[in-house]
Amino acid sequence: MGGTGMKAALAGPGGQVLHRARRATGRAQGPDAVVAGILDFAAELRAYGTEQFGTPASAAGVAVPGIVDEARGVAVYAANLGWRDVPLRALLAERLGVPVALGHDVRTGGLAEGRVGAGRGADRFLFVALGTGIAGAIGVDGRVEAGAHGFAGEIGHIVVRPGGAPCPCGQHGCLERFASAAAVSEAWAAASGDPGADAADCAKAADSGDPKARAVWQEAVDALADGLVTALTLLDPRTLIIGGGLAEAGETLFTPLREAIRSRITFQKQPALVPAALGDTAGCLGAGLLAWDLLDHTDRMEVTP
């Protein structure tokens, strides 16, 4: 589930993707319509699977944004979808008649990246998505840590610039106010005088040697390195996976970021820093992994993106 679109798939016993589908979230019609759309979409996929493959799905997984209580199966809150306390797992289980797993979108995407994507084989990984905001997923032995209250991995709200720009979370100087794709877009639009300029434009300008662009880009890299070093000091991941829109800049981001991290660490071990591999399919594939976990297929899971 995303703010504007839903991505779904049917996965076979070996994890191979058998069918993909997309549709609009329909949030303009309100939260009740969004929930109804999810239920209808899942039911259509189940019917398609039965028709095409002769058997219905054995389990389902769904990944949603916002605050998610995975233990209770409740979508607690999502500002961009307008819902509160939706018992999504129970609603889907009733509609589909199969076990259902509910996960947080970034943690679920991180699960896929860590288990079958860029972090495949790593016993400890940290996945960080640099999008409109910044969020992370802490991976341990093939699973992602949700935390006691479902907030684990919120690296975007580590304060890296005390007293800095206000964040909607209520703090000042949060990492995502300086190093998210949205923050870089905002900073470059101001520096360039072009209100339509975005982070991708900044990366291109920095590559071409524009001093203003390089200054904006380096400020973001430095803030990101500060946040990541705090995280790796606490978590000691073997692999650090960076995804999201800002990661699409490739080595324009990764080369200075590796150097910035290297210059900041002392006793810590620098993890392998790699780009995410699954793109916008990560959350969908992760939802499939959650579903197979319900059926105890974790150790045999292989996914072909």
Side-chain angles (χ1 to χ4, degrees), residues 7-32:
K7 294 178 284 291
L10 291 171
Q16 67 273 25
V17 175
L18 305 173
H19 173 68
R20 296 181 189 272
R22 297 185 182 228
R23 68 163 51 174
T25 299
R27 62 179 176 175
Q29 282 72 52
D32 290 343

Side-chain angles (χ1 to χ4, degrees), residues 256-284:
L257 182 58
R258 288 188 185 98
E259 181 54 39
I261 292 173
R262 186 178 298 112
S263 70
R264 284 162 170 75
I265 60 175
T266 53
F267 66 90
Q268 306 94 331
K269 294 293 185 182
Q270 182 151 347
L273 178 62
V274 298
L278 303 177
D280 69 355
T281 66
C284 181

